[in-house]
Amino acid sequence: MAREKSVMCMVMVLGVAIIIQGTGTAEECSTVTALVAACSSFVNYGTPDPTPGAPCCVAMTTLSNIASSTEMRQAVCRCVMDLITTYNPNATAIATLPGFCGVSLGFTIDPNTDCEYVS
C-alpha cells in the first residue's frame, strides 16, 4: 500500500513537471494553481489553525520538487506572483505556505520579487 502511494506520488510529480515545462504560461500556471488550491482552506480561512494540513504540504513539496532548476523556479515564481496579485487579500497566507510546510521554493514569495533574477 505504501509502495503504491509512493509510486503514484512519483508519477504525479513527473506528470506535473512535464506539464509545467510546456511553453504556454496558462499551462504552467494551471499546474501551480492546482497545487496551491490544495491549500485553499488555509489560504482563505487560516485553517486548519495555525498551520496548513498534510495535503497542502504535499502540494508544496511537489511544487518545490518541480522548481528544481533555474528555468523551472522562474516559471513557478511567475505563476505564484500572478496568484498573489490575483488573490491580494490572501497574499500573506500564500507567502507563508512553504515555510509552514518546511520547504523552500528557491525564491521569496513577495510582490517585489523579480522572477527573472531567481537563480
Side-chain angles (χ1 to χ4, degrees):
M1 179 78 162
R3 180 167 166 72
E4 289 173 1
K5 285 184 181 179
S6 178
V7 170
M8 283 220 9
C9 186
M10 285 297 280
V11 168
M12 184 177 117
V13 168
L14 289 173
V16 168
I18 290 167
I19 291 169
I20 199 168
Q21 286 179 350
T23 57
T25 302
E27 283 182 18
E28 292 172 1
C29 291
S30 67
T31 302
V32 173
T33 300
L35 288 167
V36 174
C39 307
S40 63
S41 179
F42 177 79
V43 169
N44 291 321
Y45 308 109
T47 58
D49 190 30
T51 60
C56 175
C57 288
V58 168
M60 288 298 104
T61 300
T62 301
L63 203 53
S64 176
N65 290 337
I66 290 169
S68 61
S69 70
T70 298
E71 180 181 271
M72 294 305 292
R73 265 188 301 284
Q74 289 175 344
V76 169
C77 178
R78 284 188 295 273
C79 297
V80 171
M81 294 308 134
D82 286 347
L83 281 174
I84 66 169
T85 299
T86 302
Y87 300 101
N88 195 342
N90 305 65
T92 301
I94 293 170
T96 63
L97 291 172
F100 273 130
C101 294
V103 299
S104 172
L105 299 179
F107 59 89
T108 302
I109 300 175
D110 181 280
N112 298 314
T113 298
D114 186 342
C115 298
E116 297 309 310
Y117 293 103
V118 170
S119 60

